[in-house]
Amino acid sequence: MDPYRFLHSVARAVPKLTLPSPSILHFRGGREAIDSVAYPDLAEFYSDLARVYCEEVRDLAAAGCRYLQLDEVNFAYLCDPKLRREVQNNGDDPDALPHTYAKLINGAIAGRPADMTVCMHLCRGNFEGAWLAEGGYEPVAEVLFNEIEVTGYFLEYDTARAEISLRCVCCQRARPSCLASSAANGARSRARTI
């Protein structure tokens, strides 16, 4: 907490802190990455993981954090047909995982104060013009916009590899959110409030 406390003490604007989404601890390795002796039931793993994140978010709030960003790449990866097949080959259901991850994320941020903004950043990997995934948001849109209790989104949406249909955006609950584009070519991001 000391680095955040220092940042908070010297910042002239509301500082944003980013955390990797808790789904990262499952997605890359699947069931094989979770100790089956400690967690014979994955529901217990997800519950413990949500609790640990929730405690961290509460500690950050107590240190003054009011703007938190979750870097959630796995929802974007679940838009890619090739990666969806890999998930299935690892024994997971790519249609069920978004629901599981939504519940996990909601548990992780459940203890945040009412005045803390929590946004979710989704990208397909943009390192020097290279990316890991592609595909529109259709496979995850209903869950992403209707089940996850974040304040806003930073989405890659105006590139050929990350199309977002108006139907995806319109399925949101009635709440203001921000969609920001993160184009791979380094162009300035554009944000739209919906």
Side-chain angles (χ1 to χ4, degrees), residues 63-117:
C65 180
R66 291 300 178 266
Y67 187 6
L68 181 65
Q69 175 178 301
L70 294 177
D71 287 335
E72 173 53 70
V73 298
N74 302 312
F75 267 84
Y77 289 0
L78 286 168
C79 297
D80 187 304
K82 183 181 91 178
L83 292 174
R84 289 175 65 81
R85 282 190 299 277
E86 286 181 25
V87 164
Q88 205 164 24
N89 291 340
N90 288 339
D92 284 307
D93 179 350
D95 293 322
L97 275 183
H99 299 282
T100 301
Y101 291 164
K103 183 178 176 183
L104 172 62
I105 292 165
N106 288 340
I109 62 176
R112 73 185 188 266
D115 63 343
M116 179 186 276
T117 297

Side-chain angles (χ1 to χ4, degrees), residues 9 34 46 51 54 74 85 89 91 110 128 131 151 158 168:
S9 73
I34 314 301
Y46 289 125
R51 179 186 47 78
C54 191
N74 302 312
R85 282 190 299 277
N89 291 340
E128 297 180 356
W131 64 88
T151 312
D158 59 352
C168 291

Side-chain angles (χ1 to χ4, degrees), residues 1 26 28 55-56 58 64 66 83 106 115 118 120 124 126 129 135 142 154-155 168 171-172 175 178 188 190:
M1 283 308 140
H26 172 266
R28 299 281 166 94
E55 290 169 3
E56 180 70 9
R58 283 188 194 134
R66 291 300 178 266
L83 292 174
N106 288 340
D115 63 343
V118 178
M120 182 182 288
R124 286 144 178 82
N126 286 332
E142 291 292 332
F154 295 102
L155 304 173
C168 291
C171 69
Q172 279 195 114
R175 61 185 157 83
C178 179
R188 284 187 10 189
R190 295 180 304 197

